[in-house]
Amino acid sequence: MMKRKTKRIIGDTIVSAIAVAIGLVIIFPLIYAFFGAFKTPSEFLTPKLLPSSFTFLDNFKDALAKGNLLRYTLNSLIIAFFGTVVRMMISIFAAYCFTYYDFKGKNFCFFLILGTMMIPGDVLLVTNYLTVSKLHLLNTYLGVMVVSFISASQMFMLRQRFKSVPKDMREASQIDGYGDIWFIWRVLLPICKPVLTTLFVQSFINLWNAYLWPLIVTASSPNMRTIRVGITKLNSWEDENYQLVLAGVCISLIPSLILFIIMRRNMRKGGMEGSLVG
């Protein structure tokens, strides 16, 4: 019995050590970016990891001033937040229809939507650009967001979560005289809060980190660029300011980090606790 317990402890220790090592490898670029943002131009050329002082803030000041990052951060916030809200609303209603409604061709339509997940996004760049251009949405927030309003993966994950909710709850709400909107808002969404929170954070970060599509759509309007596009403008072949780029990267991580800290508690909560709401 003692030998078995000892082996289990040794095995858990080895697994934990491997997990920590992999985690350090994954987050090392972020650590390097954070330390590099505080280095002077001369220090950046040295192989030292740590800067001589964390009080050197000129890189952050220059990144905000030269790169117009405050404006780009506002653009990214608007695009990421409202784009995520619309995407979540469409995904919720679509998943609800595929879960609780019966109509002809239901399974075919659902699998057709899932089939779009196999199409690489870069393949649709030209057609999406032509469509947005014909709608006169270039250099607008809507033009950047519109291609992200539909998410087949979110529809699939929400449908699978909705199917785990007892259908008796919907029937009980209908007997009480409540409609689908009330059931979704007061019963279904509170039950599925952890999944919804996770999808919201994931969607926000994806839209926040988008680069190629915002670059194409806002090419002729510098003030409409997102922060990811703006960071690349801090560096050029004439003047390589890598420390400014790292400072810009650190600034761009702040909203996503704050959102994750705020939402992480809901992401860990149990799914059925929300069924008592309403």
Side-chain angles (χ1 to χ4, degrees):
M1 187 70 179
M2 290 295 295
K3 290 183 178 180
R4 186 180 302 174
K5 187 176 181 179
T6 303
K7 289 182 180 179
R8 186 174 60 189
I9 293 174
I10 295 174
D12 293 342
T13 304
I14 294 174
V15 171
S16 300
I18 294 174
V20 171
I22 295 174
L24 290 175
V25 172
I26 294 174
I27 68 172
F28 179 77
L30 298 179
I31 297 174
Y32 179 81
F34 177 76
F35 290 152
F38 292 94
K39 290 183 177 181
T40 62
S42 59
E43 284 182 326
F44 197 82
L45 300 176
T46 62
K48 294 192 307 180
L49 177 62
L50 295 176
S52 59
S53 174
F54 286 95
T55 60
F56 184 76
L57 303 177
D58 289 353
N59 293 331
F60 294 93
K61 295 177 183 178
D62 293 341
L64 292 172
K66 295 181 180 179
N68 197 18
L69 292 189
L70 287 179
R71 169 69 183 186
Y72 298 157
T73 300
L74 177 62
N75 294 339
S76 294
L77 282 174
I78 294 173
I79 292 169
F81 178 77
F82 289 102
T84 297
V85 170
V86 175
R87 174 190 281 188
M88 292 293 298
M89 290 177 60
I90 294 176
S91 298
I92 289 170
F93 287 120
Y96 183 83
C97 291
F98 283 116
T99 303
Y100 292 101
Y101 289 172
D102 291 323
F103 52 89
K104 190 174 182 180
K106 170 183 173 180
N107 293 330
F108 174 78
C109 292
F110 183 70
F111 284 114
L112 187 65
I113 292 174
L114 292 183
T116 61
M117 297 172 60
M118 296 183 291
I119 303 176
D122 295 342
V123 175
L124 304 174
L125 279 176
V126 176
T127 55
N128 287 340
Y129 180 83
L130 293 176
T131 302
V132 170
S133 177
K134 291 179 180 178
L135 294 174
H136 304 288
L137 295 178
L138 295 179
N139 303 312
T140 63
Y141 293 129
L142 184 58
V144 179
M145 293 186 292
V146 68
V147 297
S148 60
F149 284 164
I150 306 298
S151 174
S153 60
Q154 285 196 359
M155 292 181 189
F156 172 75
M157 295 182 69
L158 288 174
R159 175 180 176 269
Q160 297 304 110
R161 182 64 183 91
F162 289 171
K163 288 179 68 176
S164 65
V165 178
K167 293 187 176 181
D168 295 342
M169 300 180 71
R170 179 171 179 261
E171 295 173 357
S173 66
Q174 290 177 335
I175 292 174
D176 292 337
Y178 297 107
D180 290 330
I181 300 297
W182 185 94
F183 175 73
I184 293 174
W185 181 253
R186 299 299 299 274
V187 179
L188 195 60
L189 296 189
I191 291 175
C192 304
K193 184 184 291 186
V195 175
L196 293 169
T197 304
T198 302
L199 293 178
F200 184 91
V201 173
Q202 180 189 41
S203 177
F204 183 92
I205 293 176
N206 287 338
L207 292 178
W208 178 269
N209 292 329
Y211 173 75
L212 186 57
W213 177 251
L215 174 65
I216 295 174
V217 176
T218 62
S220 59
S221 180
N223 287 331
M224 292 299 299
R225 291 171 180 165
T226 59
I227 190 169
R228 287 299 179 187
V229 178
I231 289 174
T232 61
K233 304 302 179 182
L234 293 173
N235 196 19
S236 65
W237 65 273
E238 296 177 344
D239 187 14
E240 295 181 346
N241 298 316
Y242 294 117
Q243 65 276 7
L244 296 186
V245 174
L246 295 182
V249 170
C250 291
I251 294 172
S252 69
L253 291 175
I254 294 175
S256 299
L257 183 61
I258 293 174
L259 179 67
F260 178 77
I261 292 174
I262 294 174
M263 296 292 193
R264 69 190 177 110
R265 187 174 181 181
N266 288 332
M267 294 168 65
R268 294 185 301 180
K269 286 183 178 180
M272 291 303 294
E273 65 178 7
S275 61
L276 300 177
V277 177

